Amino acid sequence: MKINNELSFPFIKFFPLVIFFSLFTVAASAQISPPGLGKANTAFWMALGWRQPLDTAGKVTSLSYIGVGRTSDPAGDANPFHHQAILVLNQEFYQHYSKNKEFSYALSYRRQNSYEETYPYHSADPAIEQEFRIYGRYALSTDVGRLKWKNTLRQEFRKFFTPDFKTGEENFQFRTRIKSQLSMPLPGPNHNKLSGSAEVLFSISKEHLPVQWTSYGYRETRFTVYYTTHPLHLPWTIDIGYMNDLLGAGHNITDVHYLALDIIWEGKRH
């Protein structure tokens, strides 16, 4: 196993921007953020979810959702609806075990489409990659005036399969995600909120052909900005957002722009 201890170029380049977002922008954790959809110019993500408190105190919560994503061509095309990109089924449980501390764990299934990187961008072989993912997330929140500053550590295990559930080129992966967020309420009767975040991702993979480990290191940085609203007299939360995903390292960075929408049905406490 090879461990890469050097900070790569993009992390050094964008680390000040991560700190800037952490301290001076606004963010929230209620959204169903877009998954990474690979190399493209633009992408679209939409999710429909159901959030249900599981106890009378509201300290244990379930969030179930289904999401779909589409992308443009890897180059030359800016239509975010051009290609089917991913189908996601996700179940997550949150536990607020103190006022400012939260732990969650989840199981996820993802069916992601693959396309060739050269024109005319036909489906790759294999055209589908299937993934089962489990992850745990620890979050610590701090109130800063009217703002809420939330820092999150998320550890994932990802197992990959071909369309017929055989092991693909990448066998499995361990991935670490570090995210810093703030949230700020907006005036008005709908409990609106403006949001943004910065997240850095590191990973190491076990390859199947040939059998070897990749080096552990930086993979990408994601910035998001969201507007959240709760329509009066309706049990919904609606999030409309934008994500900028910076993939790669050194001079091989792919800059992908996402439009995102999620609608969450808010269940009542028992």
Side-chain angles (χ1 to χ4, degrees):
M1 183 186 303
K2 179 182 178 182
I3 302 297
N4 183 4
N5 294 319
E6 297 183 359
L7 287 176
S8 59
F9 169 76
F11 182 73
I12 295 173
K13 180 178 179 180
F14 296 110
F15 183 74
L17 191 55
V18 172
I19 297 300
F20 175 84
F21 267 74
S22 301
L23 297 179
F24 298 105
T25 66
V26 289
S29 61
Q31 308 88 19
I32 301 174
S33 299
L37 299 179
K39 293 183 178 180
N41 282 326
T42 60
F44 174 75
W45 163 254
M46 181 175 182
L48 299 176
W50 176 43
R51 184 159 37 219
Q52 176 66 52
L54 300 180
D55 63 342
T56 55
K59 292 185 176 181
V60 181
T61 306
S62 167
L63 175 61
S64 309
Y65 72 83
I66 179 172
V68 293
R70 299 188 67 89
T71 63
S72 68
D73 287 333
D77 178 16
N79 178 6
F81 305 99
H82 196 148
H83 297 288
Q84 170 60 26
I86 198 170
L87 170 68
V88 177
L89 302 175
N90 207 88
Q91 174 61 53
E92 187 163 7
F93 296 96
Y94 296 83
Q95 182 172 3
H96 300 265
Y97 57 91
S98 71
K99 179 181 178 181
N100 297 318
K101 297 178 182 178
E102 175 187 274
F103 179 76
S104 65
Y105 50 93
L107 174 65
S108 182
Y109 167 75
R110 297 165 188 240
R111 181 180 175 89
Q112 187 158 357
N113 300 73
S114 299
Y115 298 94
E116 296 177 350
E117 296 186 5
T118 57
Y119 183 82
Y121 311 112
H122 291 310
S123 294
D125 184 20
I128 299 292
E129 180 180 67
Q130 301 191 91
E131 175 191 341
F132 287 94
R133 177 185 304 186
I134 57 174
Y135 61 87
R137 173 166 43 199
Y138 175 78
L140 179 64
S141 302
T142 303
D143 293 328
V144 184
R146 296 178 62 240
L147 304 179
K148 184 177 182 180
W149 187 16
K150 188 172 186 178
N151 294 285
T152 304
L153 174 64
R154 171 168 161 171
Q155 186 62 52
E156 301 176 337
F157 173 77
R158 309 169 68 195
K159 173 64 176 174
F160 304 100
F161 296 94
T162 62
D164 54 358
F165 286 98
K166 294 180 180 179
T167 301
E169 293 183 5
E170 186 175 9
N171 191 347
F172 58 85
Q173 181 189 92
F174 294 97
R175 186 164 70 174
T176 302
R177 302 168 60 160
I178 303 171
K179 189 173 185 178
S180 190
Q181 310 176 107
L182 289 165
S183 61
M184 183 180 72
L186 298 176
N190 292 346
H191 303 287
N192 298 335
K193 195 181 319 185
L194 183 65
S195 69
S197 66
E199 184 176 32
V200 183
L201 292 81
F202 304 84
S203 67
I204 184 171
S205 298
K206 179 67 175 293
E207 302 290 344
H208 177 57
L209 294 174
V211 178
Q212 62 182 14
W213 286 91
T214 65
S215 61
Y216 179 83
Y218 165 86
R219 301 298 180 229
E220 60 185 288
T221 299
R222 299 175 182 177
F223 299 101
T224 64
V225 177
Y226 268 90
Y227 171 76
T228 300
T229 185
H230 304 270
L232 287 177
H233 311 300
L234 294 175
W236 299 343
T237 297
I238 301 174
D239 302 299
I240 304 170
Y242 162 80
M243 184 174 82
N244 182 211
D245 192 7
L246 301 176
L247 299 165
H251 299 287
N252 298 315
I253 297 178
T254 301
D255 190 2
V256 188
H257 303 278
Y258 289 70
L259 297 175
L261 170 68
D262 64 73
I263 302 173
I264 303 174
W265 183 278
E266 301 288 355
K268 296 181 179 180
R269 296 183 184 179
H270 294 292

